[in-house]
Amino acid sequence: MFIIQLSVIVFACYVVGKLMEQIGQAQVIGHIAAGVLLGPTFFPGIMSLFSFQTSLFSQESLTTIDKLANLGMILLMFDIGLSHFHGNNHGRRKQTIAALKIAVLGMLLPFIGGVLAGNSVHAELAPQTDRLLFNIFMGTALAVSALPVIVRIIEDLKMLHLAIIPPVITAAILTDVTGWGILALDSVFAAVEGKSDSLWSYLSVVTVTLVLYWLVTCKVVVPLLIRYAHKPEMRFPAIIFWILISAWGADYLHLHSGFGALLAGSMLARIPGLAKQWHASMNGFMHYLLLPVLFVSAGLKTHFDFSMATQDIAWIIGFTLLAFITKFSGALLGARISGYSLREASMIGALMNTRGLMELVVLSIGLELNLISQRVYSIMVIVALVVTATTPPILRWLNKESSSAVVNKTLENIKG
C-alpha cells in the first residue's frame, strides 16, 4: 500500500505542479493542491466517477506517509538553517536594517490581526482549546512567511538581480526564526498547561539543555566534521545522526523536531563547504521525493465539509483578506520607511506574503499539539494556498510595469 501511495503522490505532484506552472504559479502550489485533491474531500468522489472504490488515502493508512513527511520537514528545516545562517548577510548595513524593519512590521501587523481574529472566533472554531494559546497560535500562523517558496518564486521569475532581493531574503530568514521561536513557546505553554511553577522549571531545563547542546555542537561535533571534510563516507552519516538526535531532543522537550533540525543547521553552517556538499548529495532526494510527500501530507489532512460550506467559505474569505492585507501592508510599510519606492515596496510586500510551506508546517504542528481543530486546519490550509497563489501574478504585473517605465524613460531620453 505504501509503495502505491508514494507512486501516486509523486505522479500527482508532477502533473499538478506542471499544470500550475502553465498558469503562472509555482510548483509548490501544485504539490499542496495535489494533496488536497488526493484527500478525503475530493479523491473518493473522483474515483467514484469511474465506478472505482478505494481507501488508498484513508486516514488509517497514512501513518507511514506522515512519518516520511516528518522526515522531510526535519531535513528541510536543517537545509534552511544550513543555507541561510552561514554569515551571508547579503552585504550592506542599510540592507540589513531595511530587512529588520520589513520583518518586524511584516510580522507585527498580521500577528496582532491573528490574535484579535483568534479571540473573536475562539468560541465557535476552537472552544476546546485554551483561548490564549489559540490566539497566539493564530497570530503566529498569519505572521509567518515561507523562505523556500520565496526563493523558488524569485528563481522562477528570474528576479535574482533585483535590488530588493537581498533584504527580502534576510527579512524572510528573520521571520522564519521568530515564527519558530513563538511556536516553540506556544508548545511549551501547552506542555505545562499554564502552571507557573511547572513553566519556570521547564524553562530552566530547556535553557540548560540548549547551553549543553551548544557546547557539544561547537566543541565536539563541528571540529569532528571539519576534520573529516574529505571523507564524506564518514561525514554524512555523522551529520544525519546529529540532525536526527537534534530533532529528537527538541521533540522530547516539546519544542518540536523541526526546531531542533533548524538549530542544528544554523550551527553547522559555519563549517566551510558543508552547505555545497549537502546540496549536491541531498537536493534530488529531498526535492523530488521528501518535499512532495511533505506538501501532499499537509493537503491530505485537509477536509472541507460541504455540509458547512457557506459558513466555512465565509471564514476562508475573512481569514484570507486578513492574512493578505496585514502581511502585505506591514512589509510594504517597512520597505517604504526604509527608502524603497512604492512599486519596490509592493513587490516586497507580495514576496513576504508567500506563506506556503512555513504556514503548512506551523498548521501541522498546531494540529499535532491540539492547538487547533481539524476544521481550523482545513480553513487555514486553503487560506495559505490562496494567499501564496497571489504572489506570482502580482510580481509579474509589478515587474512588467517597472520594465515598461524604464523603457519609456529611455525612449524619452533618446527623443530629448
Side-chain angles (χ1 to χ4, degrees):
M1 177 68 78
F2 171 67
I3 300 298
I4 298 175
Q5 288 175 330
L6 211 55
S7 303
V8 172
I9 286 172
V10 172
F11 178 75
C13 281
Y14 177 80
V15 172
V16 182
K18 286 298 182 182
L19 288 174
M20 285 294 175
E21 280 190 331
Q22 295 301 313
I23 61 174
Q25 290 294 335
Q27 272 199 12
V28 64
I29 303 295
H31 294 171
I32 302 167
V36 175
L37 290 174
L38 292 175
T41 303
F42 297 102
F43 191 65
I46 293 172
M47 291 295 98
S48 66
L49 291 176
F50 301 97
S51 301
F52 185 70
Q53 300 297 321
T54 179
S55 58
L56 181 61
F57 292 106
S58 64
Q59 295 304 305
E60 297 78 16
S61 68
L62 294 181
T63 303
T64 309
I65 292 293
D66 287 340
K67 289 179 180 177
L68 192 60
N70 190 48
L71 176 62
M73 186 194 65
I74 289 169
L75 294 182
L76 176 66
M77 298 314 297
F78 174 79
D79 185 80
I80 290 173
L82 188 66
S83 301
H84 299 287
F85 288 87
H86 48 60
N88 274 342
N89 59 6
H90 300 281
R92 307 164 191 167
R93 184 171 176 270
K94 181 181 177 182
Q95 290 179 338
T96 304
I97 294 173
L100 185 60
K101 293 176 182 177
I102 293 166
V104 169
L105 290 173
M107 285 199 76
L108 186 61
L109 266 64
F111 183 80
I112 293 173
V115 168
L116 294 176
N119 189 60
S120 65
V121 304
H122 175 266
E124 183 166 352
L125 291 183
Q128 77 288 352
T129 306
D130 179 83
R131 182 182 289 272
L132 178 61
L133 294 180
F134 178 74
N135 295 348
I136 293 174
F137 181 85
M138 292 302 292
T140 306
L142 263 63
V144 296
S145 296
L147 177 61
V149 184
I150 290 174
V151 172
R152 182 62 183 269
I153 289 174
I154 290 170
E155 291 173 347
D156 288 348
L157 299 184
K158 297 179 174 58
M159 295 172 55
L160 284 168
H161 64 285
L162 298 181
I164 65 168
I165 300 307
V168 165
I169 296 296
T170 305
I173 293 171
L174 294 171
T175 300
D176 276 6
V177 172
T178 305
W180 272 99
I182 297 172
L183 189 61
L185 288 175
D186 218 2
S187 303
V188 168
F189 283 114
V192 301
E193 298 179 348
K195 299 174 183 175
S196 59
D197 292 342
S198 300
L199 175 61
W200 287 113
S201 300
Y202 185 86
L203 289 177
S204 299
V205 171
V206 170
T207 302
V208 171
T209 303
L210 289 176
V211 170
L212 290 174
Y213 177 83
W214 179 81
L215 287 171
V216 172
T217 305
C218 292
K219 303 300 182 182
V220 180
V221 177
V222 170
L224 281 174
L225 292 177
I226 292 175
R227 182 183 303 174
Y228 292 109
H230 303 295
K231 294 183 177 180
E233 72 280 3
M234 297 179 66
R235 194 185 207 188
F236 272 86
I239 291 171
I240 293 172
F241 170 80
W242 194 242
I243 295 170
L244 297 177
I245 286 294
S246 303
W248 172 83
D251 191 58
Y252 185 79
L253 292 172
H254 302 284
L255 297 176
H256 201 274
S257 55
F259 182 81
L262 180 69
L263 191 61
S266 64
M267 296 184 73
L268 298 187
R270 68 188 68 185
I271 300 175
L274 179 59
K276 185 177 180 180
Q277 282 187 345
W278 173 265
H279 293 149
S281 300
M282 299 295 293
N283 260 14
F285 178 64
M286 284 181 58
H287 288 280
Y288 296 110
L289 181 62
L290 289 184
L291 293 190
V293 171
L294 173 60
F295 297 137
V296 167
S297 175
L300 287 173
K301 297 186 184 80
T302 304
H303 183 203
F304 191 72
D305 187 353
F306 286 102
S307 66
M308 303 175 66
T310 302
Q311 190 175 17
D312 282 359
I313 287 174
W315 291 124
I316 290 168
I317 293 172
F319 276 112
T320 299
L321 290 174
L322 178 66
F324 180 89
I325 292 171
T326 54
K327 189 72 172 182
F328 184 87
S329 58
L332 183 145
L333 181 60
R336 287 292 284 161
I337 64 178
S338 300
Y340 289 96
S341 68
L342 181 59
R343 179 175 286 112
E344 290 174 326
S346 298
M347 294 175 75
I348 290 171
L351 280 167
M352 293 301 291
N353 231 336
T354 304
R355 298 316 206 291
L357 173 66
M358 188 61 187
E359 185 162 351
L360 293 177
V361 172
V362 168
L363 292 173
S364 296
I365 292 171
L367 187 63
E368 181 183 327
L369 297 175
N370 296 316
L371 295 175
I372 56 173
S373 64
Q374 178 64 53
R375 184 184 179 194
V376 175
Y377 176 89
S378 299
I379 289 171
M380 294 305 294
V381 166
I382 296 172
V383 170
L385 273 171
V386 174
V387 173
T388 303
T390 65
T391 298
I394 291 175
L395 288 176
R396 283 194 175 90
W397 178 72
L398 290 171
N399 205 25
K400 182 179 179 181
E401 290 291 310
S402 179
S403 301
S404 299
V406 171
V407 171
N408 292 334
K409 187 174 180 179
T410 304
L411 291 175
E412 287 176 4
N413 291 337
I414 292 174
K415 290 177 181 178

